[in-house]
Amino acid sequence: MSGPAELDIPLDRPGRTFGAMRLPWSHDESAYGQIVIPVIVINGAPGPTLLATAGVHGDEYEGQVALSDLARDIEPSSLRGRLIIVPAANAPAAAIGRRTSPVDGGNLARVFPGKGDGTPTAQIAEGITRLLLPLADFVIDMHSGGRTLEYMPCAWARLLADKDLRARTLDALIAFGAPDAGVVAKPQAIGTFLAAAQSAGKVAISTELGGAGTLTPYSLSVARDGIARFLAFAGLTVLKPLAKQVRLLAVEPRHFVRSPGRGLFEPATSLGQSVAAGDIAGRLHDIERPDRAPETIRFEAPGIVMCRRVPARTEAGDVVAHLGQPSTREALL
Ligand code: CA
């Protein structure tokens, strides 16, 4: 069923329009309150529609800043097509810099395509799926590591069985032009916006642009440059970006290293480092038991360290690092 989310602006108005997607949220502090999610639409000459989202996780800041800048700065007259920007998709989570929503604890990247009669977070997903996604030819959903993870700034994609969509997705990933790109060749996770966009047949990519709950000049430059290049790839601008060398890194479940228990994780590697199967990923210290030697944790597979956990304190099951295995466009097709 359709949910209560509504747009307060028309999406075909020429030029630049700042508006919002709104849904009711009645709570103790506001009987007739709303969740207000900023939406910016920029219409140029006739052409394709690109939907760009960030802030699906509220503690991932690179995309939120890069897309807000883009929304203000891009000249409508320079566009051949329509750009729809949602810089903080889970607005309540973004407002407090948390991964999940303070409204209902919802993780917006686990509830797509959403549910019209669901929780507020599921209603946000349903609103984006119903009101914005059908208009899009291209989708980019910008993520980062958030407060608990740090990534080498990279683009990210998952590949579906459809061969033509696989090829176009890889082309989009390479066009984004980040030095590295993570590719999930056999995706299992569902509930992400990326999965919903691909199910709808869109050419859709994501990113993992740094993280650690902070911003750096480098991660923001990868974000800004990448979105400009993706606009050109989609045909919305006439910019002809220089081809960039992009290292494709295939990511599989065996590449994830998890903590076996509670303790302080001492990493043995740095982001970008190349490791072999059996190499030491780090040591887990039990500070309450200094008489016990720390536990050695090893990589199961070879690869490049793409991601690390930020807080040293870990619990059983926490991902402390993950790898990607260098691959090629041909091998991934
Ligand atoms: Ca994320």
Side-chain angles (χ1 to χ4, degrees):
M1 67 175 275
S2 285
E6 291 178 346
L7 290 167
D8 65 4
I9 51 168
L11 292 176
D12 53 1
R13 184 187 290 163
R16 182 193 334 267
T17 309
F18 286 87
M21 186 175 87
R22 296 168 180 268
L23 48 143
W25 178 38
S26 177
H27 57 108
D28 285 351
E29 305 304 322
S30 185
Y32 301 147
Q34 290 183 324
I35 293 173
V36 180
I37 298 159
V39 175
I40 305 96
V41 60
I42 302 151
N43 279 289
T49 293
L50 189 152
L51 172 59
T53 53
V56 163
H57 290 135
D59 63 346
E60 302 174 5
Y61 304 122
E62 288 85 350
Q64 297 181 42
V65 169
L67 289 186
S68 297
D69 282 349
L70 182 70
R72 290 186 307 275
D73 294 345
I74 196 163
E75 273 304 318
S77 62
S78 73
L79 273 189
R80 291 189 305 199
R82 172 169 52 187
L83 177 58
I84 302 173
I85 296 175
V86 186
N90 197 348
I96 60 164
R98 306 292 292 194
R99 180 174 179 82
T100 57
S101 174
V103 172
D104 55 14
N107 181 341
L108 185 53
R110 297 294 180 273
V111 297
F112 272 93
K115 208 167 170 223
D117 59 355
T119 60
T121 301
Q123 290 181 345
I124 293 173
E126 190 274 340
I128 292 171
T129 303
R130 171 171 49 90
L131 299 169
L132 303 179
L133 184 59
L135 303 173
D137 302 293
F138 299 89
V139 172
I140 182 165
D141 182 29
M142 301 181 85
H143 285 252
S144 300
R147 289 185 310 135
T148 64
L149 297 175
E150 183 182 19
Y151 272 88
M152 297 191 299
C154 59
W156 194 266
R158 57 202 292 285
L159 300 180
L160 297 186
D162 181 276
K163 193 129 199 212
D164 181 53
L165 195 57
R166 278 173 94 93
R168 296 183 72 202
T169 302
L170 280 169
D171 290 344
L173 195 67
I174 292 165
F176 187 85
D180 291 286
V183 184
V184 183
K186 290 179 187 153
Q188 295 168 331
I190 51 168
T192 63
F193 183 40
L194 198 57
Q198 288 187 311
S199 297
K202 315 296 181 185
V203 176
I205 62 168
S206 185
T207 62
E208 293 292 356
L209 294 163
T214 189
L215 292 168
T216 69
Y218 177 61
S219 65
L220 270 173
S221 75
V222 174
R224 290 184 171 124
D225 193 40
I227 184 73
R229 296 172 63 93
F230 189 60
L231 282 172
F233 169 80
L236 272 80
T237 60
V238 294
L239 186 74
K240 286 269 179 289
L242 293 175
K244 281 200 179 175
Q245 200 66 42
V246 175
R247 179 170 59 175
L248 298 173
L249 296 170
V251 180
E252 300 174 19
R254 69 195 175 109
H255 290 137
F256 286 76
V257 181
R258 292 179 186 275
S259 176
R262 177 175 299 170
L264 292 185
F265 179 71
E266 172 200 352
T269 63
S270 302
L271 289 181
Q273 194 170 326
S274 179
V275 302
D279 278 0
I280 295 174
R283 301 194 301 164
L284 188 67
H285 297 266
D286 182 351
I287 296 304
E288 291 169 346
R289 293 301 303 272
D291 57 308
R292 287 184 182 166
E295 185 170 356
T296 299
I297 304 171
R298 295 178 186 275
F299 293 105
E300 282 179 30
I304 306 292
V305 181
M306 297 185 73
C307 172
R308 72 174 188 100
R309 177 174 166 84
V310 174
R313 285 204 58 82
T314 67
E315 300 287 334
D318 287 342
V319 167
V320 290
H322 87 70
L323 305 173
Q325 175 70 49
S327 187
T328 63
R329 186 180 185 280
E330 292 67 38
L332 289 162
L333 283 175

